[in-house]
Structure formats: structure tokens, C-alpha cells
Amino acid sequence: VTGGSSGIGKCIAIECYKQGAFITLIARDENKLLQTKKEIEKYSVNDKQVVLCISVDVSKDYEQVENVLKQAQEKLGPVDMLVNCAGTSVTGKFEDIEVNSFERLMAVNYLGSVYPSRAVIATMKERRMGRIVFVSSQAGQLGLFGYTAYSPTKFALRGLAEALQMEVKPYNVYVTVAYPPDTDTPGFAEESKTKPLETKLISETSSVCQAEQVARVIVKDAI
């Protein structure tokens, strides 16, 4: 699970652990990872289960991502399911958003899902089994005021998922895309601090979901 140290990623890891899975958590912050590891371990269903933590930025260097995933597979065996949950958001009017924010969001939200997927796909095809999950957003189905930097990165995941599914289906490998609505996570709280009024008014027309509830639906759909 990338982005596994908080929010939806953490809840997906817990959900899978409750079902007996071995978990590899990937995120940047080592302290948060170790904290999350302890939290997840409380839900073990047998004493063989392992939670492995890897601190890496999935959006920066493909070779590094490939290496850490190789190491994880050497320790815990091949990846049956990869959940791409690493993501970040910046809101604001198009002309007010720093240009480098567009680049950073595309790197984290899009390439941060391309790199881990690219690192595991060959083994999945060889084994003729595997599932790749992309966590997009409702903003990946519909462009909204204030999300000119964020929405396109989540739209990109849909294009990737649809094209990839056509390639890997003959190998019994499957792709799932989740489009969660506003969800109560640390990332959402951070994003809300800078949301333009118009974006807030649009958001308030629907309720905020709990991360646990979103994670349950994603895992159910993927398994």
C-alpha cells in the first residue's frame, strides 16, 4: 500500500490485515510508518502475519521504487495486490496556483502510481495473477472549481487504468479504480485550509465520508 501511513491508505492496510494479508506499507515519513505499523499489528488474525515498512518517495526515482519493491518481494513473496494510494492536493484558482504545484501534483498523484505499478506488473503477468488498485477521486470523474491542478492528475489515473486493463486481462491480472468522495483524512483537513469559497460551497453539498468506510468498499471491490 503506497501512501499507507495515514488516511485511506492506512485504513486499506488495516482492512487487508484483518483478512490475514501480509502488508508492505510505503510512504515517505519513517516515524509515521512505524507508528502505523504498531497500529495495524493490533488487528492480526494469526502470528505469521508481517507488516513491513518502506520509506521512499514513490514519485521521484523509478529505479529506487523498483529496488525497494524487489526487496519487499524477497522478504514477503510476490505482490498479490498493489494499492496505489499516495496522493496530495492543492486547491486554488488556476492563476493563483504556483506553476510548480501542477508539476508536483502530476508527479505524486500520477507518476507516484505509475512507478510502483510498473515495478510489479511483470511478476504479476508471469504468475498470471494480481490486482492493481488506483485510488482516484470524484474529482477524477468531474472537473471542479478550484481543482485545476488536482483533477487532471486523477483523470490521468483513469486513462492509465483503462489502457492497462486491456493489456493485462489476458494474463488474469486485474485493475480497479476507486473514486472516493471527500473523505475525512489528514490530507483533506490540510486541503480545506486553502480551499476557495466556491470549492467549499460545492463540497458542502455532500457529506464527508469516513476513511474506514471508504477503505472497506475499496477492498471489497478489489477482492
Side-chain angles (χ1 to χ4, degrees), residues 19-65:
Q19 296 185 31
F22 285 49
I23 304 288
T24 302
L25 293 177
I26 300 175
R28 286 173 308 172
D29 188 323
E30 213 159 323
N31 292 334
K32 266 165 76 177
L33 277 169
L34 294 172
Q35 227 172 322
T36 303
K37 173 181 161 81
K38 281 181 192 158
E39 210 176 313
I40 294 171
E41 283 169 344
K42 292 176 193 162
Y43 296 94
S44 67
V45 290
N46 64 61
D47 55 11
K48 293 195 179 90
Q49 277 177 283
V50 177
V51 180
L52 183 67
C53 291
I54 295 175
S55 169
V56 69
D57 185 334
V58 288
S59 68
K60 283 233 168 97
D61 177 351
Y62 173 68
E63 279 182 10
Q64 197 183 6
V65 174

Side-chain angles (χ1 to χ4, degrees), residues 51-223:
V51 180
L52 183 67
C53 291
I54 295 175
S55 169
V56 69
D57 185 334
V58 288
S59 68
K60 283 233 168 97
D61 177 351
Y62 173 68
E63 279 182 10
Q64 197 183 6
V65 174
E66 191 180 36
N67 284 337
V68 296
L69 275 159
K70 206 175 273 179
Q71 286 164 22
Q73 294 190 82
E74 279 162 13
K75 285 180 185 164
L76 297 187
V79 175
D80 292 320
M81 181 161 88
L82 169 70
V83 183
N84 290 293
C85 212
T88 187
S89 175
V90 171
T91 52
K93 289 183 183 165
F94 182 63
E95 68 276 18
D96 294 338
I97 298 172
E98 297 283 340
V99 169
N100 67 3
S101 293
F102 288 88
E103 294 165 1
R104 187 169 64 88
L105 259 60
M106 194 53 91
V108 175
N109 296 351
Y110 178 66
L111 294 176
S113 290
V114 170
Y115 293 168
S117 303
R118 180 76 169 62
V120 301
I121 202 76
T123 312
M124 285 184 174
K125 283 168 76 175
E126 276 163 27
R127 295 173 71 222
R128 302 188 83 81
M129 66 177 289
R131 166 84 54 180
I132 291 180
V133 180
F134 295 108
V135 179
S136 178
S137 160
Q138 275 191 346
Q141 292 179 313
L142 181 74
L144 289 175
F145 189 109
Y147 283 129
T148 52
Y150 178 73
S151 262
T153 67
K154 294 297 191 176
F155 266 75
L157 288 177
R158 179 179 179 170
L160 169 64
E162 288 178 2
L164 182 59
Q165 180 62 89
M166 291 176 94
E167 289 186 22
V168 299
K169 195 176 179 185
Y171 298 89
N172 196 39
V173 176
Y174 289 90
V175 178
T176 299
V177 191
Y179 298 99
D182 283 346
T183 304
D184 185 9
T185 63
F188 180 70
E190 197 56 39
E191 176 198 307
S192 297
K193 290 177 187 171
T194 56
K195 259 187 193 166
L197 176 63
E198 294 89 339
T199 313
K200 280 186 178 162
L201 292 171
I202 295 167
S203 291
E204 284 163 10
T205 58
S206 64
S207 56
V208 175
C209 291
Q210 292 307 304
E212 293 80 4
Q213 175 194 0
V214 170
R216 270 196 298 275
V217 174
I218 291 173
V219 172
K220 184 170 150 286
D221 288 350
I223 292 174

